[in-house]
Amino acid sequence: LKQHTLSTLNELVRSSGATMAPELFSTIVEQASRLIDGGDLYLSHMAIDLSISTLKASQGRVVGELQADVFPRCLLLMTSSLLHSGPTLNSLLQLFRELVVLDSAALPFDQLLALVVSPAQQHQGAKLSKAAVEALARCVATVCLSCPDPAKRNDTIARIVSDVDAGVAGAAAGNSATHLALLSLGEIGSELNLAELVPNAHSIVLACLDSPKCNEDLKAGAATALGNITLGNMAEYLPTLMSVLDERTEQAQQYLLLSSLREVIVRHSSSRVGAQEALPVDSILPVLERHCKSEEEGVRNMVAECLGKLAILTPEKVVPYITSNLKNEQALVRWTLVTSLKFASTSPRPTEALKNGLPAFVQLLSDDDLVVRRAAVVTFNSLAHHRPETIREAARSEVIPLLFEMMPVNTALKRTVDLGPFKHTVDDGLPLRKASFACMLTMLDTMPDVVPVADFYPNLAKGLADTDDVAMMCHQILAQVAAWAPHSLLSNVPALLDPLATTINKVPKDNSGVANHANDVIRSALRALDAIAQIPE
């Protein structure tokens, strides 16, 4: 009812605002403000939209009411960890944009900017969530970029750079205000060439990555800001970023700089620069290739994400490049390249290129290196989830038989670790088995028609008798099979009931943590048994 009321009022204000009495506008703003709350973001979005329509229809006469009623609730909403993106944040940005352009004497630019920044200043001793700081940064950037007076805008940017420099150099390197200034500078830098306005902005942000006074959150924020500033002037800053990336040998530094490069790649297509300047893929690929074999998994994962995002932007060039290097003799390189396809699978753009390179990806399911094999299974799981049409033809004939081979327990992959007073058995094949069953669960969800259920039952029975993590996954698979192929399942129930009964009849130990986990496993088995019981005879 509230949503329909807000929608109707919004249309009335837009279409008939010129004929409405001035006092009615004040009432609308006051009533709409009461619905702006972090507990219902969509309702908040509609209430802010109504406030914007009222501001336009009243020709700015309700600025005082907005400041008194709407702003306090908006500022509280901006500190919510849920307001990361979406229509509610877009409505807030539009409200600030309208107010800046209006330039009302009741709420001038400097006062509006101070209001937007105030949540971070009020949390000097506390810590705002990352999502809240990112939302505030977008609001600050919107206010700044919307300023019709270039001199005032440039002065504000210079003050933000000064705040970053002072915050990093002083004792404020860990507070929300410094973090906000960094991210705000990045958001502004993605739209403007800061080299023309504040030439030292890029070097100041780059210095944050080296500062011992900056905590990890602030360094991550500096990396994001560095990527955005680079995006605003790729001709000058991108070669610098890649040069610094090659020079740094510390893995933590490499990770942060790679995350800056990822920011450039991800935001390029939707940015102002993206419409004017193509991304120099040929220059970026060699830099990423040099970091494919890093010993640090976090660095390799970031390289894989960069390659995956590049594959989305230019699939015809990047996907063949990845497939041509999948036979690299170094296992870490193969791991990075196959993992990059997981990130590429989230978009439909590289679908055709992935289809053409599929035989090379399938070969990694038989790779000699256990970690590479698991990465390949995880990638196929992602493809099955996001792009099932890409692997549908190869799934039944090639992928699924290879998954079946990975599901049984391989005693050759078990080793005993001597811990002194006692010995501990480590099963190196467990992560691979879990990944294989997880991939099968996804395939049963997105393309059950390609799964040869009858051939799967022996492996499913072994999985039900495996470790608790594998068994619980098999319980979910059993429920899926009960819904998809009930009659086939009934004819194979005897082989599956024994491991289920063993799990259900387990007696949990007295230890509370162990008992809770054991009870979770038993409940999972009971749900699987109930799914079988629901099959009509």
Side-chain angles (χ1 to χ4, degrees), residues 251 254 286 288-296 299-300 303 328 330-334 336:
Q251 292 175 338
Q254 291 175 353
L288 294 176
E289 184 178 348
R290 284 192 286 274
H291 291 85
C292 277
K293 55 181 179 291
S294 172
E295 293 291 335
E296 175 60 43
V299 172
R300 295 200 312 276
V303 172
N328 190 289
Q330 297 189 56
L332 294 179
V333 174
R334 298 198 300 276
T336 305

Side-chain angles (χ1 to χ4, degrees), residues 426-506:
V426 177
D427 186 354
D428 291 325
L430 178 59
L432 184 60
R433 296 202 303 279
K434 287 169 64 176
S436 302
F437 280 109
C439 188
M440 189 60 62
L441 179 62
T442 303
M443 287 183 175
L444 282 167
D445 184 45
T446 59
M447 44 182 181
D449 53 300
V450 305
V451 178
V453 179
D455 298 334
F456 180 43
Y457 288 123
N459 289 306
L460 182 57
K462 292 174 184 175
L464 290 168
D466 207 327
T467 63
D468 289 346
D469 290 341
V470 175
M472 291 177 74
M473 204 172 295
C474 289
H475 297 157
Q476 297 179 56
I477 292 173
L478 198 53
Q480 288 270 41
V481 174
W484 169 250
H487 299 298
S488 171
L489 177 59
L490 285 178
S491 62
N492 288 270
V493 158
L496 304 174
L497 285 181
D498 286 343
L500 274 177
T502 302
T503 301
I504 293 169
N505 293 325
K506 278 184 181 178

Side-chain angles (χ1 to χ4, degrees), residues 32-285:
S33 68
R34 298 176 183 177
L35 299 177
I36 300 174
D37 183 76
D40 192 332
L41 291 182
Y42 186 70
L43 204 62
S44 298
H45 150 67
M46 297 187 74
I48 295 169
D49 266 2
L50 176 57
S51 300
I52 295 170
S53 300
T54 308
L55 177 66
K56 291 179 179 178
S58 68
Q59 298 179 346
R61 288 193 293 269
V62 293
V63 171
E65 287 82 352
L66 282 171
Q67 189 174 355
D69 299 323
V70 174
F71 256 59
R73 289 181 172 270
C74 285
L75 294 176
L76 191 62
L77 183 64
M78 286 157 61
T79 61
S80 169
S81 59
L82 302 174
L83 191 72
H84 179 59
S85 60
T88 308
L89 179 57
N90 292 337
S91 295
L92 272 173
L93 299 179
Q94 184 60 30
L95 175 62
F96 295 139
R97 202 174 287 117
E98 295 292 339
L99 287 167
V100 172
V101 173
L102 183 65
D103 197 22
S104 169
L107 191 59
F109 174 82
D110 290 333
Q111 188 178 347
L112 178 60
L113 184 62
L115 280 170
V116 175
V117 174
S118 61
Q121 294 175 335
Q122 291 165 5
H123 286 75
Q124 292 283 10
K127 186 179 177 182
L128 285 171
S129 69
K130 181 184 175 183
V133 177
E134 289 174 352
L136 284 168
R138 289 190 62 184
C139 294
V140 171
T142 297
V143 170
C144 186
L145 293 169
S146 303
C147 182
D149 183 351
K152 188 178 289 186
R153 181 199 65 191
N154 295 346
D155 180 61
T156 303
I157 295 172
R159 279 192 283 125
I160 293 174
V161 174
S162 178
D163 289 344
V164 170
D165 196 17
V168 172
N175 67 28
S176 297
T178 307
H179 196 182
L180 174 61
L182 262 173
L183 292 183
S184 300
L185 186 61
E187 291 289 340
I188 294 167
S190 67
E191 296 296 327
L192 295 176
N193 182 2
L194 291 184
E196 298 174 353
L197 305 175
V198 192
N200 64 336
H202 190 267
S203 59
I204 288 174
V205 175
L206 187 58
C208 294
L209 302 181
D210 299 318
S211 174
K213 295 182 179 180
C214 295
N215 59 28
E216 293 305 314
D217 287 342
L218 202 63
K219 286 183 178 181
T224 301
L226 185 65
N228 285 329
I229 293 171
T230 301
L231 186 61
N233 183 7
M234 287 203 303
E236 181 177 344
Y237 290 151
L238 187 57
T240 302
L241 175 60
M242 293 193 290
S243 174
V244 173
L245 182 55
D246 278 341
E247 292 169 2
R248 301 294 171 91
T249 56
E250 292 183 18
Q251 292 175 338
Q253 292 283 316
Q254 291 175 353
Y255 178 86
L256 290 169
L257 291 166
L258 283 166
S259 68
S260 298
L261 183 57
R262 177 197 60 187
E263 200 70 20
V264 174
I265 296 168
V266 170
R267 296 193 60 168
H268 177 266
S269 59
S270 60
S271 68
R272 169 190 58 82
V273 179
Q276 305 168 354
E277 187 178 353
L279 201 63
V281 177
D282 291 332
S283 301
I284 295 173
L285 284 176

